Amino acid sequence: MRIQNNARSFLSAAALAVLVGCATTEEPKPAPAPAPAPTPATPAPAPAAAPAPVAKPAPVPPKPMALRVTSVELFEFDKSRLTQVATDKLDREVVVRLGEFQVIRQINVNGHADRLGSAQYNQKLSERRAEAVKAYLARQGAPADKIETYGFGKTLQVKSCPDQKDRKALIECLQPNRRVVVEVEGTARP
């Protein structure tokens, strides 16, 4: 019995040792997972290109503009003074149209006379007529420093009236020659 007790004690001690050994023995840690195999280096995608700057449309240059007005019936025979009819006509045909210009480069005022009288007299008369129109346009707001005047005397007749024998009828017939031509050059408003 003693052997039996010793065997039991031994078995009990061995069991206890196994239990104690199990309790204190750490379980083995699982093996670490293998590191992923390196992937071949692929070039990183290029950053998206910044959008090209959108250019503003170039401003449209103002259009050159010319205004040519031939005004007849501005002057009485042998006169350089503007009549009321003449100023009304200049207002309608020239002054109002000056507003169509953004920039006025120049205004030419060309005075003319009919063929009656000497060349020297008609030259001076045509110059006075051009100056009268210049002064009127400047009073109406046209830039006086841009206005040039020219007298053409009786050199550029638009009507000849060769069959008129009566002086009064001839003066009446030659009326279109007593004129002023106004030419405005500049750029139009957009």
Side-chain angles (χ1 to χ4, degrees), residues 10-171:
F10 179 74
L11 281 177
S12 292
L16 184 60
V18 168
L19 281 176
V20 170
C22 284
T24 59
T25 305
E26 292 183 18
E27 281 194 31
K29 293 183 181 176
T39 58
T42 56
V54 176
K56 293 180 182 177
V60 176
K63 296 184 298 188
M65 182 175 165
L67 167 67
R68 185 169 198 256
V69 178
T70 301
S71 294
V72 296
E73 300 171 11
L74 294 184
F75 302 99
E76 296 173 355
F77 176 71
D78 199 24
K79 305 281 188 223
S80 59
R81 186 181 57 81
L82 291 167
T83 64
Q84 183 62 46
V85 171
T87 58
D88 291 345
K89 191 168 192 165
L90 286 171
D91 287 341
R92 281 191 321 272
E93 296 178 358
V94 179
V95 175
V96 170
R97 304 262 333 256
L98 292 177
E100 298 174 18
F101 289 85
Q102 180 176 359
V103 174
I104 295 175
R105 281 198 319 265
Q106 67 182 15
I107 301 173
N108 292 329
V109 180
N110 305 320
H112 299 272
D114 62 33
R115 64 181 169 85
L116 302 177
S118 71
Q120 295 81 11
Y121 180 82
N122 281 324
Q123 179 62 37
K124 295 291 185 191
L125 180 59
S126 67
E127 291 170 6
R128 288 194 310 269
R129 287 176 173 169
E131 287 294 328
V133 171
K134 174 184 178 177
Y136 181 76
L137 293 177
R139 285 193 305 271
Q140 300 307 308
D145 62 327
K146 305 280 185 181
I147 303 174
E148 295 287 331
T149 59
Y150 304 94
F152 287 90
K154 60 181 180 177
T155 60
L156 300 172
Q157 300 293 292
V158 292
K159 193 163 185 185
S160 64
C161 308
D163 299 335
Q164 294 295 332
K165 303 291 185 211
D166 177 54
R167 183 154 174 86
K168 187 175 180 181
L170 179 60
I171 290 171

